[in-house]
Each structure stands twice: as C-alpha cells, then as structure tokens.
Amino acid sequence: MKSVIAAAFVGMMALSACAPEGPKLGPDGQPLPELYTITKKDAEVIPQRVLESVNSLRAARGTAPLVLNPSLTAAATAHSADMAAQNRPWHWGSDGSSPLDRAKRAGYPGEVVGENISETYETEIQTLSAWMGLADTRDVILNPAASQMGFGWFQEPSGKIWWTLVTGR
C-alpha cells in the first residue's frame, strides 16, 4: 500500500511540474514586467516597425509619411549610447553636442526638426506610445515639416534601453 501511495505522490509531483507557471506578481498584485531583450533578429526589424507605426499615426492626422534616413539613424544610435554612458536622458551629448551637431556629424545634409529620447525597460512600441501621450514628444512625431526619421537605441546589460528618435527635412 505504501508503494502505491508513494507512486501516486511521485506522479502528482511530476504532473505539477508540467503545469504552466502564471505571471510573477509584484506587491501590488499586478504582473511584473518581463525584460525586453533586443536580439539580432529584433534589431533588424525594429526601425521598420517604428517607421510603420509612426507613419500610421501621421496618416491618421493627414500628415505625409516619413522615410528612414541612415544618417539620422546613425546620429540617434550614437546619442543613445552616449546617454547610457552619461546615465541620464537628455538632449545634449557628453561633448556638448546638440541634435543638430550630431546629425551634421553623421553626414545629414538637411535640417533637424526634432528629437525624442527615453530611458526605459519598455519596447520600442511602448516607448512610442508613451511619446504620443505627451504633447511635446507627440509634436515631434507628427510635425508636418518633417520628412525623414532616424531611430536608434542602446541596451545595457541590465536590460535598460536608451531610445532616440530624430526627425528632419
């Protein structure tokens, strides 16, 4: 009889190990966020995914679409890494450079229209959504004067991501 009970107990333990785990909850009872790690595959599609999202938002406002510009993307990526090195989200580079200076340095021949920055653990789409929730950053995304966009990021080993979006014409 003891062997039957032991076998049943082992069987129940084995089955319980197969049960899917629910989300881990924080002290407020809400699910804890999962770490968003940008893989090489993600890195290949993020700029296009953001561009498509931005252009959908612009289309809803009757504003012309943007195109990705490699020079603006290089400036955005460099600034994201620089913000991480400085450990603060702001529009000035560690060398005192402005968004205009960085775009020019990256070879952009046009005029910079605006720049959005963020320090977060959120995805690029969650970050874009947060920018759309604030008038000043929303205005950068929807500005009808803009015709081009650059988008870059830097992810720290901790998972923190520094995002930069630059628009120009």
Side-chain angles (χ1 to χ4, degrees), residues 73-99:
T73 294
T77 301
H79 187 56
S80 293
D82 189 47
M83 286 190 298
Q86 296 180 69
N87 196 34
R88 63 177 167 181
W90 73 325
H91 295 283
W92 300 102
S94 58
D95 60 357
S97 62
S98 70

Side-chain angles (χ1 to χ4, degrees), residues 123-138:
T123 70
E124 66 279 1
I125 300 304
Q126 290 169 317
T127 300
L128 179 59
S129 178
W131 285 336
M132 288 300 291
L134 300 171
D136 58 341
T137 50
R138 180 176 53 246

Side-chain angles (χ1 to χ4, degrees), residues 2 20 48 60 63 67 70-71 74 82 85 95 102 119-121 125 133 138 142 144 146 150 153 158:
K2 286 184 181 181
Q48 190 62 40
T63 307
V67 296
S71 297
D82 189 47
D95 60 357
R102 292 188 296 275
E119 167 195 18
T120 184
Y121 289 89
I125 300 304
R138 180 176 53 246
L142 300 177
W153 64 88
S158 69

Side-chain angles (χ1 to χ4, degrees), residues 25-102:
L25 303 179
D28 60 358
Q30 297 298 314
L32 292 172
E34 292 185 29
L35 183 61
Y36 176 57
T37 302
I38 300 173
T39 65
K40 184 176 180 176
K41 183 179 177 184
D42 293 329
E44 294 171 2
V45 298
I46 286 173
Q48 190 62 40
R49 186 166 44 223
V50 172
L51 178 67
E52 289 170 3
S53 297
V54 164
N55 284 338
S56 292
L57 295 165
R58 289 174 65 88
R61 291 281 182 103
T63 307
L66 301 178
V67 296
L68 278 175
N69 179 283
S71 297
L72 289 177
T73 294
T77 301
H79 187 56
S80 293
D82 189 47
M83 286 190 298
Q86 296 180 69
N87 196 34
R88 63 177 167 181
W90 73 325
H91 295 283
W92 300 102
S94 58
D95 60 357
S97 62
S98 70
L100 304 162
D101 299 328
R102 292 188 296 275

